[in-house]
């Protein structure tokens, strides 16, 4: 199974959105032939109606099934009322043959930081099914992300969330928000951040990127695709059967 993980597109009529890089990114992404595309939030910059309309229009260029959770920017200015109208449920379990994807909204109206809360924690456990791999996806991060500046916005209930993830040996957690790609293995879990797909606010020389996740039996391999350079580089690999992990990107 191939999952394309994209994040922080920031569709906006101001300086946040890089249209040229978006067009290039879409061309590359459409060649990936992913089973589905997971979008971990920040589709807008201010949660405005015209940004949601713009996002809906531009996302049509991306082929394939798109699964979307909101980011902090999408909840601004009553944007949280528009998100379900445009992109459906903010909290859900999407079931595939071999995996269950639990999508969750960590964002809160008009706040940059986020939380999950007990209801969503319950949804995580409901997404666990014998014989299937559970993947969780949300916008904010649960542990600090290097190369993304001073630490802010880790979800309020990061400790409890991490505890549920690790105790249940959930192999893969997909996040965004920090605009840099990163991955780390803790216990039997890969915590993975996608960089920004099309926002002008990139960090240092990281540029615009997205992640390609390849799940083959017990092996999870994640690569980062640098959009400007059109270069793919392996970031992390985890073999669930022996717990061995290799981090190549940094
Ligand atoms: Fe963002
Ligand atoms: Fe964000």
């Amino acid at each position: 199974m191939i999952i394309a993980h994209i994040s922080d597109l920031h569709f906006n009529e101001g300086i946040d959105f890089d249209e040229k890089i978006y067009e290039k990114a879409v061309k590359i992404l459409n060649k990936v032939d992913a089973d589905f595309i997971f979008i971990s939030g920040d589709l807008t910059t201010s949660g405005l109606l015209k940004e949601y309309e713009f996002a809906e229009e531009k996302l049509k260029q991306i082929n394939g099934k798109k699964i979307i959770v909101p980011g902090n920017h999408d909840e601004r200015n009553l944007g949280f009322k528009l998100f379900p109208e445009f992109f459906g449920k903010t909290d859900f379990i999407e079931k595939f043959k071999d995996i269950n994807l639990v999508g969750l909204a960590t964002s809160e109206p008009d706040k940059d930081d986020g939380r999950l809360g007990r209801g969503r924690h319950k949804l995580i456990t409901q997404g666990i099914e014998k014989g299937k791999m559970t993947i969780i996806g949300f916008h904010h991060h649960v542990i600090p992300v290097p190369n993304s500046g001073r630490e802010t916005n880790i979800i309020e209930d990061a400790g409890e969330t991490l505890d549920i993830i690790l105790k249940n040996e959930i192999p893969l957690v997909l996040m965004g928000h920090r605009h840099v790609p990163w991955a780390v293995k803790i216990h039997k879990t890969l915590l993975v951040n996608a960089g920004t797909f099309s926002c002008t606010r990139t960090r240092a020389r990281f540029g615009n990127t997205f992640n390609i996740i390849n799940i083959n039996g017990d092996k999870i391999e994640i690569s980062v695709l640098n959009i400007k350079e059109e270069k793919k580089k392996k970031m992390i690999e985890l073999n669930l059967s022996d717990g061995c992990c290799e981090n190549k990107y940094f």
Side-chain angles (χ1 to χ4, degrees):
M1 178 172 240
I2 296 173
I3 305 166
H5 175 198
I6 74 175
S7 198
D8 297 80
L9 297 90
H10 287 276
F11 294 111
N12 162 264
E13 286 175 350
I15 56 161
D16 246 19
F17 177 59
D18 190 332
E19 179 121 38
K20 230 170 110 183
I21 210 84
Y22 180 77
E23 300 296 327
K24 189 172 183 186
V26 168
K27 271 187 200 155
I28 300 167
L29 176 60
N30 282 341
K31 281 185 207 150
V32 170
D33 197 27
D35 290 275
F36 67 87
I37 297 115
F38 176 65
I39 307 178
S40 53
D42 278 0
L43 288 96
T44 70
T45 283
S46 302
L48 303 174
L49 176 59
K50 61 180 179 180
E51 291 180 343
Y52 271 100
E53 287 168 345
F54 187 35
E56 187 183 40
E57 201 47 43
K58 295 299 280 179
L59 284 181
K60 285 179 187 162
Q61 290 175 234
I62 299 176
N63 300 334
K65 185 180 172 62
K66 294 172 273 277
I67 301 174
I68 308 170
V69 293
N72 54 313
H73 285 262
D74 305 322
E75 301 242 1
R76 290 179 181 173
N77 299 305
L78 282 183
F80 62 91
K81 285 189 184 277
L82 296 173
F83 188 93
E85 241 182 71
F86 282 83
F87 304 122
K89 280 188 176 176
T90 57
D91 302 280
F92 51 83
I93 302 170
E94 186 86 35
K95 297 196 171 196
F96 296 87
K97 190 173 157 264
D98 299 317
I99 69 157
N100 284 348
L101 174 72
V102 185
L104 302 164
T106 46
S107 41
E108 299 263 295
D110 301 314
K111 280 176 87 179
D112 280 336
D113 45 7
R115 66 189 286 275
L116 280 174
R118 279 171 285 186
R120 293 188 180 100
H121 284 159
K122 212 171 152 191
L123 200 61
I124 294 177
T125 52
Q126 284 167 0
I128 299 165
E129 207 178 314
K130 217 176 165 225
K132 285 176 94 173
M133 181 185 285
T134 305
I135 300 174
I136 304 171
F138 48 75
H139 182 64
H140 290 84
H141 47 307
V142 282
I143 60 164
V145 175
N147 298 303
S148 66
R150 292 285 172 102
E151 186 43 55
T152 56
N153 308 149
I154 278 185
I155 53 170
E156 277 174 13
D157 46 3
E160 282 67 31
T161 304
L162 207 52
D163 193 41
I164 292 165
I165 290 166
L166 299 183
K167 268 184 185 157
N168 288 291
E169 298 182 359
I170 288 165
L172 193 56
V173 183
L174 307 178
M175 299 159 286
H177 186 59
R178 299 303 268 166
H179 291 208
V180 288
W182 191 54
V184 67
K185 178 187 166 242
I186 299 179
H187 189 41
K188 291 179 177 175
T189 300
L190 283 184
L191 300 173
V192 182
N193 282 77
T196 168
F197 193 70
S198 52
C199 185
T200 51
R201 286 182 287 112
T202 55
R203 296 184 195 270
R205 292 190 185 276
F206 279 93
N208 295 95
T209 61
F210 67 92
N211 294 350
I212 299 168
I213 302 158
N214 206 318
I215 302 169
N216 197 346
D218 273 351
K219 202 171 123 187
I220 303 174
E221 188 187 294
I222 298 165
S223 301
V224 177
L225 196 303
N226 183 299
I227 295 158
K228 195 176 172 195
E229 294 170 6
E230 287 186 54
K231 270 188 192 150
K232 187 175 145 183
K233 192 177 172 190
K234 195 203 276 188
M235 178 156 66
I236 205 161
E237 184 186 302
L238 171 67
N239 202 323
L240 293 170
S241 53
D242 59 16
C244 281
C245 173
E246 201 182 356
N247 194 333
K248 295 239 180 192
Y249 202 68
F250 298 95

